[in-house]
Amino acid sequence: MSQTQRLLLLAPDAMTRSPAFDRATELALALDLPLHIVAIDYLEVLSVAGLFAPEQVKKARDGYLETHRHWLWQQAELARRHGVEATSEVVWGKDAYQALQQYVKELPLALIIKDAEPEPVMKRIFFTPMDWRLLRDCPVPVHLVTDARHPRPRQVLAIVDVLRSEEQDLVFNDRIVDAAVKLAEQCNAQVELLHAFDWTAVYAADMGVGALPLATGLYEALGQAQHEVFESLAERHGVPPQQRHFIEGAPLSSICTFATDHQCDVIVMGTTQHRGLDKHLGSTAEQVLQRAPCSVWAIKPGE
């Protein structure tokens, strides 16, 4: 396979055309990139292979793979009819994430696209081990698709955190906004830039180290400083004033409410690796990922 940068669509196990197919096709057209569709199969029923003759197991597996290859080829053909350079492949592997890592190592991927897998009992969108591993550990940008109401996005929401001022955080914010602005431009969509300033979180952090609460004036000064950083960030990326949203409130509810009210199709946000206790608690970004009312495009700090 050529070393041209491409999109990779990780198709679901079932031979069902999911929303990610339409989103991947539209993004391939908008970004002018080839699309490679991969399905990673593993049938649990064949795990009891010891009960059957090896040739019977091989025949069953090969038959299923051939059927899946043909179905996936048909989906790629639909993309080709729209003008996308599309290829498809079905591989056999028990650990889908490990199988996917081979593509990450061997191909220059611009983006991995996958349907978000819902967990209705916990009422979470991004819950499965595969989704979480992609968000936390995969070095390639990941786009988890919840629906394809608009296969080509019309509203793109960039979420930034200007609470911290370390150099790496400022650079990370620039990467997030840059990705969102480019996506909006390529899809002829509108970009909105959002930061939610949480007074209670600042107060709690202050009390958590045993210090006296800061005076109200100092809290206001901190908010003003964040607002200036936010405005500077927006200016650097050419986001118009009417599309800048510096709001007060708890980030999780504020972001989800904003995305719902503005009918956003994609949230572009950052995710980072977590270790120790933080790995289990997760960040504000990952809490948003659990409740996001639309698809999410996850950016890593090192991209």
Side-chain angles (χ1 to χ4, degrees), residues 286-298:
E286 291 181 352
Q287 293 175 41
V288 171
L289 290 171
Q290 294 175 9
R291 291 177 49 184
C294 60
S295 302
V296 169
W297 187 305

Side-chain angles (χ1 to χ4, degrees), residues 78-101:
L78 289 176
R80 287 189 287 267
R81 291 176 186 174
H82 284 84
V84 175
E85 180 186 336
T87 52
S88 61
E89 181 180 9
V90 178
V91 298
W92 187 264
K94 185 174 182 179
D95 189 326
Y97 183 80
Q98 289 302 319
L100 185 62
Q101 291 311 294

Side-chain angles (χ1 to χ4, degrees), residues 96-114:
Y97 183 80
Q98 289 302 319
L100 185 62
Q101 291 311 294
Q102 288 301 115
Y103 292 93
V104 173
K105 293 176 183 177
E106 297 172 4
L107 296 177
L109 300 178
L111 179 69
I112 293 174
I113 304 167
K114 178 185 178 296

Side-chain angles (χ1 to χ4, degrees), residues 64-249:
Y64 179 80
L65 289 175
E66 184 57 34
T67 300
H68 203 165
R69 285 191 189 100
H70 179 69
W71 184 86
L72 211 62
W73 180 90
Q74 291 177 315
Q75 308 315 306
E77 179 63 17
L78 289 176
R80 287 189 287 267
R81 291 176 186 174
H82 284 84
V84 175
E85 180 186 336
T87 52
S88 61
E89 181 180 9
V90 178
V91 298
W92 187 264
K94 185 174 182 179
D95 189 326
Y97 183 80
Q98 289 302 319
L100 185 62
Q101 291 311 294
Q102 288 301 115
Y103 292 93
V104 173
K105 293 176 183 177
E106 297 172 4
L107 296 177
L109 300 178
L111 179 69
I112 293 174
I113 304 167
K114 178 185 178 296
D115 289 285
E117 297 184 52
E119 170 46 64
V121 175
M122 297 299 291
K123 297 184 180 179
R124 293 178 173 180
I125 294 176
F126 305 94
F127 181 82
T128 64
M130 181 64 167
D131 287 351
W132 283 117
R133 293 184 74 181
L134 283 172
L135 290 170
R136 292 185 170 186
D137 301 327
C138 183
V140 176
V142 175
H143 183 32
L144 293 178
V145 180
T146 57
D147 65 72
R149 174 183 53 184
H150 299 136
R152 182 170 297 202
R154 298 180 185 177
Q155 293 284 343
V156 177
L157 173 61
I159 299 173
V160 293
D161 180 4
V162 297
L163 179 59
R164 296 175 296 178
S165 59
E166 289 87 348
E167 180 64 26
Q168 63 267 29
D169 295 315
L170 299 177
V171 171
F172 193 18
N173 280 333
D174 275 309
R175 288 187 178 132
I176 293 168
V177 181
D178 183 62
V181 169
K182 286 181 178 177
L183 175 63
E185 290 175 347
Q186 291 164 322
C187 293
N188 194 27
Q190 179 165 301
V191 66
E192 307 285 346
L193 180 60
L194 173 68
H195 169 70
F197 177 57
D198 189 2
W199 288 87
T200 59
V202 176
Y203 181 85
D206 176 54
M207 292 298 290
V209 296
L212 292 174
L214 293 173
T216 301
L218 291 181
Y219 279 115
E220 293 175 350
L222 178 58
Q224 181 60 36
Q226 288 190 46
H227 192 268
E228 290 173 1
V229 173
F230 178 80
E231 290 294 327
S232 177
L233 177 66
E235 286 289 339
R236 285 199 300 276
H237 294 276
V239 179
Q242 66 272 21
Q243 291 159 223
R244 307 172 190 175
H245 310 277
F246 188 94
I247 60 179
E248 294 183 14

Side-chain angles (χ1 to χ4, degrees), residues 258-280:
F258 184 95
T260 300
D261 292 345
H262 288 74
Q263 298 184 331
C264 295
D265 298 300
V266 178
I267 292 176
V268 179
M269 64 192 309
T271 60
T272 57
Q273 271 192 315
H274 301 287
R275 308 196 185 283
L277 182 60
D278 189 45
K279 183 173 183 179
H280 298 285

